[in-house]
Amino acid sequence: MKIKRQLHIFLLLVVLIPLVAFAMIPINRQLAVEGISFEKIIRISFLVASVIELACIIFTLHISNTISRSITFLQRSTKRLADGQVSKPLERRKNHRGENEITDLIGNLDKMRISLLENEERRKRFIMGMSHDLRTPVAVIKGYLEAIDDGVVSGKEEIAKSVNIILNKTNQLEAMLNSLINFVKLETAEQKNNLTLQPILPLLQEFAESCKNSGTIFNRNVKTEIQVSPDTQIMLNKELVLRALDNLYSNAQRYTKDKNVIIIKANETESEIKISIEDTGIGINEKDIQFIFDIFYRASNSRNEPGYGIGLSVVKNIIDSHGWKIDVKSQVGVGTNFTITIPKTNSKA
């Protein structure tokens, strides 16, 4: 039973004591009229009050015991979190009748445990991805410099060729570091909180026009379907939203071939706006979909393509900062569809 309900019962019993005392006054008078002795009347009144008082005492002990046992249970169940043991679920009450407001905290703490576990796994993948991607150009630069220093590369043309490779790898390393720095800035910058209420249709039209122009240059068949009211206004940061949409379109263009179709849609209902970018490219393996928004993660069928695995992480970060939602559906050899759902709770239509 909930502690709040138990307290209500306790208060009810406390209130009953004076009410019963007042109610006994006319009863006592009636008993006195009927000739019952005063001592017997006192005993009856005392007995009734004692029963209610005993009930109050029992309920007080019960509530105290419930709170004490619940706190002990909570302390025992959550001690593992303090010890850093987040791999196993927290203990829950086997008997649901023993659940109350305190033990209900276990559910929220278990969600926090899962979040900590996911963050730990994400941190490990982040470190592994960063160390792997940064190590490769550093190893190449180091190798060519050692070759020049040891005299293995001595000819003028060979040295010039080695220096050119070192310069390319240095530029690659710089680009990776800049991408990483921009991602970190996006994580902490105030600009992601700088949302203003503005019409979303001009933004979508600007994005669709840009995609059509890019499709013409790179020989992609880009189709657009924008069905959003010009009066609909959404809280957003235009620069960041365009950046997220451009990243999604760039991926669609990168993983499609000449003449492949890319479809951009935006539809509006009473409660939300859905923006989708669908391509007919190589698709994503099912085992990779749950990780594609993790920084530095490269899907198995995209590792031969240029990139650092940061773009989709930026997209997810921007979408989350707006309080929106992004979903992905994909099938290898068929294509991929990214859908952004924008609730209209903080908008004007």
Side-chain angles (χ1 to χ4, degrees):
M1 185 186 295
K2 297 293 186 181
I3 294 175
K4 186 176 180 180
R5 187 178 301 173
Q6 296 180 30
L7 289 172
H8 287 165
I9 295 174
F10 169 75
L11 291 174
L12 179 62
L13 290 173
V14 171
V15 171
L16 280 177
I17 294 176
L19 291 178
V20 169
F22 282 114
M24 289 298 294
I25 293 175
I27 296 175
N28 290 340
R29 290 175 179 174
Q30 182 65 31
L31 292 174
V33 171
E34 294 177 359
I36 300 175
S37 64
F38 180 74
E39 290 79 6
K40 193 170 184 178
I41 294 174
I42 293 298
R43 284 199 298 269
I44 293 173
S45 301
F46 180 76
L47 179 62
V48 173
S50 298
V51 169
I52 298 177
E53 186 68 28
L54 180 61
C56 287
I57 294 173
I58 292 173
F59 250 89
T60 302
L61 293 174
H62 175 70
I63 294 173
S64 176
N65 187 43
T66 298
I67 295 175
S68 177
R69 285 188 292 107
S70 298
I71 292 175
T72 302
F73 177 78
L74 181 65
Q75 183 182 24
R76 185 177 67 250
S77 300
T78 57
K79 187 176 183 299
R80 291 202 305 269
L81 286 180
D83 295 337
Q85 301 176 19
V86 296
S87 58
K88 293 183 179 180
L90 296 179
E91 181 184 357
R92 299 297 300 270
R93 283 279 175 86
K94 295 180 180 179
N95 183 3
H96 291 292
R97 293 181 62 185
E99 294 284 342
N100 54 55
E101 291 90 339
I102 297 177
T103 56
D104 283 347
L105 290 174
I106 295 290
N108 293 329
L109 288 171
D110 201 47
K111 292 179 182 178
M112 184 179 71
R113 177 193 65 82
I114 295 173
S115 179
L116 289 172
L117 191 61
E118 291 175 349
N119 286 337
E120 179 67 16
E121 291 298 322
R122 191 176 294 110
R123 184 184 67 84
K124 290 179 180 178
R125 289 197 297 269
F126 174 84
I127 293 174
M128 290 178 62
M130 182 175 64
S131 60
H132 176 270
D133 286 359
L134 296 180
R135 186 188 299 121
T136 302
V138 170
V140 173
I141 293 170
K142 181 181 178 182
Y144 276 94
L145 288 175
E146 289 177 346
I148 295 173
D149 186 56
D150 294 339
V152 176
V153 176
S154 56
K156 186 175 181 180
E157 291 184 2
E158 291 180 342
I159 291 176
K161 186 182 296 184
S162 298
V163 169
N164 187 51
I165 293 174
I166 291 172
L167 182 60
N168 289 336
K169 291 299 177 182
T170 302
N171 291 334
Q172 180 184 349
L173 185 60
E174 183 182 26
M176 292 173 64
L177 290 174
N178 286 335
S179 297
L180 182 59
I181 290 170
N182 289 333
F183 177 81
V184 174
K185 283 182 178 179
L186 185 61
E187 282 278 316
T188 57
E190 294 182 359
Q191 61 176 334
K192 71 177 184 180
N193 295 322
N194 186 22
L195 309 182
T196 58
L197 188 64
Q198 53 187 290
I200 192 171
L201 181 59
L203 181 151
L204 295 174
Q205 291 173 334
E206 179 181 338
F207 169 65
E209 189 65 27
S210 173
C211 293
K212 285 182 178 179
N213 294 336
S214 180
T216 301
I217 296 172
F218 290 94
N219 199 21
R220 301 293 190 272
N221 186 6
V222 178
K223 299 180 180 180
T224 62
E225 182 183 323
I226 310 297
Q227 296 181 348
V228 176
S229 170
D231 298 325
T232 300
Q233 299 185 59
I234 299 292
M235 295 291 295
L236 56 85
N237 182 315
K238 181 179 179 181
E239 178 186 349
L240 294 183
V241 173
L242 281 176
R243 181 177 175 184
L245 294 175
D246 286 338
N247 280 353
L248 292 176
Y249 175 78
S250 295
N251 279 351
Q253 185 171 273
R254 179 183 301 170
Y255 297 114
T256 51
K257 299 178 181 179
D258 287 355
K259 302 296 184 181
N260 278 174
V261 177
I262 300 175
I263 303 174
I264 298 168
K265 292 183 179 180
N267 298 300
E268 180 181 7
T269 65
E270 291 184 1
S271 59
E272 62 187 18
I273 297 172
K274 285 186 178 290
I275 305 171
S276 66
I277 299 175
E278 181 179 359
D279 66 61
T280 53
I282 62 175
I284 305 170
N285 286 321
E286 185 177 355
K287 65 182 180 66
D288 293 321
I289 288 180
Q290 60 179 321
F291 303 116
I292 60 173
F293 293 113
D294 292 350
I295 188 169
F296 287 127
Y297 187 83
R298 303 292 304 281
S300 54
N301 58 351
S302 68
R303 288 169 187 160
N304 295 328
E305 296 291 331
Y308 310 122
I310 295 178
L312 287 179
S313 298
V314 171
V315 171
K316 185 68 164 61
N317 189 290
I318 292 173
I319 297 303
D320 288 346
S321 71
H322 282 70
W324 302 348
K325 180 182 176 184
I326 184 167
D327 297 298
V328 56
K329 293 181 180 179
S330 186
Q331 185 176 346
V332 175
V334 177
T336 303
N337 186 336
F338 284 93
T339 301
I340 298 172
T341 303
I342 305 174
K344 294 167 66 175
T345 51
N346 295 325
S347 65
K348 288 184 179 180

